[in-house]
Amino acid sequence: MVAIPAAAGSAAPAPPDAARGRATAAPEKSPVAVGYGGAVSSVDPDASAAGISVLRKGGNAVDAAVATAAALGVTEPYSAGIGGGGYFVYYQARSHSIRTLDGRETAPRSAGKDLFLENGTPLPFDQAVTSGLGVGTPGTPATWDTALRTWGSRSLGQVLGPARKLAADGFTVDATFRQQTADNEARFRDFPATAGLFLPGGKLPAVGSTMKNPDLARTYGELANKGVGALYDGAVGRDIVRTVRKPPVRPGSTRRVRPGKLTAGDLRAYRALSQAPTHTRYRGLDVYGMAPSSSGGTGVAEALNILEKSDLSRLSEQQYLHRYLEASRIAFADRGRWVGDPAQENVPTKGLTSQRFADSRACLIRDDKALTSPMAPGDPRHPKPCGSAGKAAPTTYEGPNTTHLTVADKWGNVVAYTLTIEQTGGSGIVVPGRGFLLNNELTDFSFAPADPAVHDPNLPGPGKRPRSSMSPTIVLRHGRPVVALGSPGGATIITTVLQTLVNHLDRGMPLADAIAAPRASQRNAAQTDLEPALWNSPLRTQLEALGHAFKPNPEIGAATGVQRLPDGRWLAAAEKVRRGGGSAMVVHPK
């Protein structure tokens, strides 16, 4: 059960009356910033500015990360918010150590393996997404509370201040926000609370208009004054349960929206889990990530270990991409068989991240011919050179959204934090009067085994956490930070983080260029996703000659990161183009 204090500390001053407020001009958006005093990188300039404001007032990286995340709940409500969950990786400069929090959503305690089956048949995916069935117990508020109480220097009320003001005064709608609203318009119209918030006057929000969310400002105020108990054992939680169990669908709608099974007891029982990170050595560096229930840490570690004995810096672009794709293909084959919620599945995390197991898999890679998918997994408990452990099964679907932020402070502390409500727009259901969308995170479970003959560790279960690909990652050299990064993108998160790391650490690209470089994503599938710059490149033909098959993907991931420079400055980096470009800021530019 979540430890819920009577209050979260002194609350921030109430934001100005929303009726009087106007959206202030958004801070200038830049993909790179260098300077002292700390750094914040996110997809949104208002959110990055919220984190910077906390750092300037003496807050630490944890305080700023929560402030940034809360602001993203305002400006990126289709990707994150208090109705969702995520994974928090923290480097503590004083002890030179890494700590993590698993804030993943959980299934109701009444859930069984048949959660998404009707008459023995899996529900259509889109029907499961837009339903109460797909809503898991939110983990984001508990993550904020646990992180602040354990490592922070400010109260929840204090760090929510910038986001409360942003929700009350409003932010400026950009083309990305409008497009994401348009993509969800049909289902948003079927929920009056959702339509009332995101379709003002019954229309799509205009680019350049001001989007206010006074309900969310009030909800943040309730959390500021009462602590997260307001959600896990209070009025906000009661509203969530009522909404999940009886989704408020528009009268006359023909959409079938199935009710969920979430209870007040499920909320009271929730806790963000403090656990050890994954760890592997790569090129003399220490790479830390998120352990299961996420597959991000094990997936990135295994692929890096497979690549360890290849001198990627000396390979041609074609040779490098070939080996990167093969390492990713193998890692996804192994994650599909072995990774699930460790509370209910026997997950061999140490084996999956071991060099011995990676070596036993790396020998499958040939320089003259691509592997074919789906590949059979290996056995990390008993590695055998080029061996397999059972039948191949295809990779199950995982939605492409989420958001990520990376923060550093003047003391050298670093946070890499990935948070989500799953689908763009989550379940599509806004909690009436509360101003936030509910997640559809339970659709990250496998609805049924991809192959009945292959054990699937990611089937639903009571209180179980669905497997994730979120990969917040921090890299150290001799106990000190080198780079920290992460990305949204569903299952492509793992490949985005992996490719960015390899671009930076092996290929020598500056961090901003490593993030901007064109991406390919192979996830043990028959075809590899390819962004336009690679799709239209001679490299595609060269790789096809080895047996690779491709499909175009207009955009893969949207990474952010921070880097510690040798002179002590921080470099913050974000996307230059993807999702309209990200926002990198530092406290004192220089």
Side-chain angles (χ1 to χ4, degrees):
M1 181 171 177
V2 180
I4 302 171
S10 57
D17 185 347
R20 298 196 312 267
R22 286 179 80 87
T24 56
E28 186 176 347
K29 184 182 283 189
S30 172
V32 183
V34 180
Y36 296 98
V40 180
S41 187
S42 81
V43 73
D44 180 76
D46 286 308
S48 294
I52 288 292
S53 72
V54 170
L55 292 176
R56 283 182 175 148
K57 293 175 182 176
N60 66 22
V62 172
D63 306 323
V66 175
T68 305
L72 287 169
V74 180
T75 61
E76 285 278 304
Y78 306 150
S79 300
I82 58 174
Y87 297 94
F88 193 101
V89 178
Y90 170 57
Y91 167 77
Q92 187 177 60
R94 186 177 67 244
S95 61
H96 306 294
S97 62
I98 302 284
R99 301 285 187 269
T100 75
L101 291 174
D102 180 331
R104 184 66 156 160
E105 301 89 337
T106 57
R109 291 173 296 175
S110 61
K113 291 183 179 180
D114 61 349
L115 179 65
F116 293 111
L117 302 181
E118 283 188 358
N119 302 317
T121 302
L123 291 176
F125 187 77
D126 62 332
Q127 293 183 29
V129 166
T130 309
S131 75
L133 275 179
V135 180
T137 306
T140 291
T143 302
W144 295 353
D145 180 64
T146 304
L148 289 170
R149 288 188 294 105
T150 308
W151 308 303
S153 66
R154 300 291 185 269
S155 71
L156 180 62
Q158 289 172 314
V159 301
L160 286 179
R164 290 177 67 194
K165 187 176 190 305
L166 188 58
D169 292 353
F171 65 94
T172 302
V173 172
D174 63 12
T176 299
F177 187 89
R178 178 184 165 87
Q179 184 59 54
Q180 289 178 342
T181 309
D183 293 342
N184 283 281
E185 182 178 3
R187 65 186 188 129
F188 280 6
R189 289 194 182 280
D190 283 333
F191 302 99
T194 309
L197 176 57
F198 296 124
L199 298 168
K203 299 179 181 179
L204 290 172
V207 174
S209 64
T210 298
M211 174 67 69
K212 298 180 181 180
N213 192 339
D215 286 345
L216 183 57
R218 285 190 290 270
T219 301
Y220 277 169
E222 197 162 338
L223 294 177
N225 288 309
K226 299 179 181 179
V228 296
L231 189 146
Y232 292 103
D233 194 19
V236 179
R238 288 192 292 273
D239 289 344
I240 290 173
V241 170
R242 185 183 307 113
T243 304
V244 170
R245 297 181 73 88
K246 191 175 181 180
V249 184
R250 171 179 58 84
S253 170
T254 59
R255 186 185 299 275
R256 183 182 176 188
V257 182
R258 293 167 176 81
K261 302 177 181 180
L262 190 72
T263 68
D266 292 320
L267 291 178
R268 286 193 298 269
Y270 186 85
R271 60 193 178 99
L273 303 176
S274 178
Q275 60 188 43
T278 59
H279 171 247
T280 194
R281 295 276 294 171
Y282 185 68
R283 315 292 192 214
L285 303 171
D286 291 286
V287 181
Y288 293 92
M290 198 67 222
S293 57
S294 180
S295 63
T298 57
V300 170
E302 181 181 349
L304 288 175
N305 287 338
I306 289 171
L307 295 170
E308 174 74 37
K309 294 182 180 178
S310 298
D311 188 350
L312 301 183
S313 66
R314 294 180 179 272
L315 297 181
S316 69
E317 193 77 4
Q318 181 247 35
Q319 292 170 323
Y320 142 67
L321 284 170
H322 170 65
R323 292 196 191 179
Y324 151 70
L325 294 175
E326 298 295 70
S328 177
R329 187 195 309 270
I330 294 168
F332 267 88
D334 296 329
R335 99 148 186 171
R337 168 61 184 85
W338 298 106
V339 181
D341 183 348
Q344 299 188 30
E345 301 287 339
N346 184 16
V347 184
T349 300
K350 288 187 177 179
L352 287 167
T353 57
S354 72
Q355 190 63 51
R356 180 183 174 215
F357 178 58
D359 290 344
S360 77
R361 302 292 278 159
C363 63
L364 294 166
I365 298 175
R366 291 174 49 178
D367 286 337
D368 61 342
K369 185 178 180 181
L371 296 163
T372 57
S373 290
M375 281 187 62
D379 188 344
R381 303 165 305 177
H382 308 288
K384 295 180 181 178
C386 304
S388 62
K391 194 175 176 184
T395 299
T396 52
Y397 178 76
E398 191 174 333
N401 215 274
T402 299
T403 194
H404 178 83
L405 62 97
T406 320
V407 179
D409 64 29
K410 64 183 178 182
W411 298 284
N413 304 302
V414 179
V415 172
Y417 182 24
T418 313
L419 60 160
T420 185
I421 58 172
E422 221 292 38
Q423 200 88 351
T424 305
S427 65
I429 306 171
V430 165
V431 180
R434 295 299 182 180
F436 63 89
L437 285 155
L438 292 171
N439 70 81
N440 64 289
E441 212 62 61
L442 301 188
T443 61
D444 269 353
F445 283 123
S446 304
F447 288 16
D451 186 325
V454 180
H455 174 74
D456 189 332
N458 191 41
L459 293 172
K464 193 173 183 180
R465 298 174 188 234
R467 181 174 63 208
S468 171
S469 295
M470 288 183 269
S471 309
T473 302
I474 298 179
V475 180
L476 307 182
R477 178 185 286 113
H478 306 309
R480 300 185 183 279
V482 173
V483 66
L485 75 159
S487 176
T492 68
I493 294 173
I494 293 173
T495 60
T496 296
V497 169
L498 173 64
Q499 190 172 7
T500 304
L501 282 173
V502 171
N503 282 342
H504 181 57
L505 300 176
D506 288 291
R507 306 291 286 180
M509 292 185 187
L511 182 59
D513 293 345
I515 287 172
R519 293 186 183 129
S521 180
Q522 167 52 239
R523 307 183 300 281
N524 196 26
Q527 293 178 302
T528 294
D529 287 19
L530 219 58
E531 285 190 328
L534 287 173
W535 179 264
N536 298 319
S537 163
L539 285 166
R540 175 163 67 97
T541 304
Q542 295 169 19
L543 291 165
E544 286 172 339
L546 297 179
H548 290 278
F550 299 102
K551 62 179 179 178
N553 187 329
E555 187 175 278
I556 299 173
T560 73
V562 299
Q563 177 187 3
R564 187 71 158 184
L565 299 177
D567 61 7
R569 291 180 299 166
W570 288 108
L571 181 147
E575 295 287 354
K576 296 179 180 179
V577 176
R578 297 180 185 96
R579 285 210 194 177
S583 174
M585 297 183 182
V586 292
V587 174
H588 300 296
K590 190 174 182 180

